C-alpha cells in the first residue's frame, strides 16, 4: 500500500485525529501514530497507508504545509519514494 509519513503532529494527537485528517483523500488501509510507551503521547509523527497511489498523492499535496492543532504539518512518502 502507498504509505505517507506525516510529521510535526502535536503530542496530544490521536489515531482518530489522523484518521479524520486523512480520510477525505481516499480509503485508508492503515493508520499508525507513533506514541511514547511511557507517556502515551504522540511522538510527533504518523504513517498513513492508502489503498491507491492517487489518494496518497492527494494527501501529500494537501497536508504538506497544512495547519493542524496550531502546528504546520509536513507530509511526504514514507520510504522516500513511491
Amino acid at each position: 500500500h502507498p504509505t505517507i509519513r506525516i510529521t510535526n503532529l502535536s503530542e496530544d494527537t490521536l489515531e482518530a485525529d489522523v484518521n479524520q485528517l486523512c480520510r477525505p483523500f481516499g480509503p485508508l488501509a492503515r493508520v499508525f501514530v507513533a506514541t511514547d510507551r511511557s507517556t502515551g503521547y504522540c511522538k510527533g509523527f504518523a504513517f498513513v497507508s492508502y489503498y491507491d497511489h492517487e489518494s496518497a498523492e492527494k494527501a501529500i499535496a494537501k497536508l504538506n504545509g497544512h495547519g493542524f492543532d496550531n502546528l504546520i504539518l509536513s507530509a511526504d512518502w514514507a520510504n522516500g519514494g513511491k
Side-chain angles (χ1 to χ4, degrees):
H1 298 296
T3 302
I4 67 170
R5 181 182 65 239
I6 302 170
T7 56
N8 208 31
L9 293 167
S10 68
E11 67 178 16
D12 57 353
T13 300
L14 303 172
E15 192 173 304
D17 299 324
V18 177
N19 253 307
Q20 188 175 6
L21 186 67
C22 296
R23 185 172 286 127
F25 309 109
L28 305 175
R30 181 172 179 258
V31 173
F32 171 77
V33 176
T35 54
D36 184 292
R37 288 183 189 194
S38 59
T39 65
Y41 289 128
C42 175
K43 286 185 174 182
F45 66 97
F47 292 99
V48 178
S49 298
Y50 286 92
Y51 284 106
D52 63 275
H53 194 79
E54 189 180 320
S55 296
E57 283 185 330
K58 280 195 280 188
I60 290 171
K62 291 286 188 182
L63 295 177
N64 194 38
H66 177 73
F68 181 72
D69 203 16
N70 298 317
L71 297 169
I72 303 298
L73 301 180
S74 179
D76 207 345
W77 296 106
N79 58 4
K82 296 173 183 182

